[in-house]
Amino acid sequence: MKNIIMDFGFYYEIAKKKIKLKLWSAEYSKGYLYFFLNNVADVTEEQYNEYSKMIDEL
């Protein structure tokens, strides 16, 4: 899994663009990002809290 792009910002920007293009709902995007954050991303507790705030603001 370490070879996959692990940059949360990359996935966050994709989700924002899909919401803007009305391809994804905000709720779907939040679920997608939380899944990535909880199951794929290797982040510290501080990063997790920061990213959670970003997701909630979508």
Side-chain angles (χ1 to χ4, degrees), residues 17-49:
K17 287 177 185 176
K18 290 193 181 236
I19 291 171
K20 186 176 181 180
L21 294 171
K22 300 194 185 297
L23 297 173
W24 287 0
S25 67
E27 292 79 23
Y28 179 85
S29 297
K30 288 177 182 182
Y32 172 84
L33 290 170
Y34 271 119
F35 176 83
F36 173 77
L37 191 57
N38 291 323
N39 297 302
V40 179
D42 185 21
V43 296
T44 64
E45 188 173 335
E46 288 178 10
Q47 289 174 316
Y48 183 89
N49 292 336

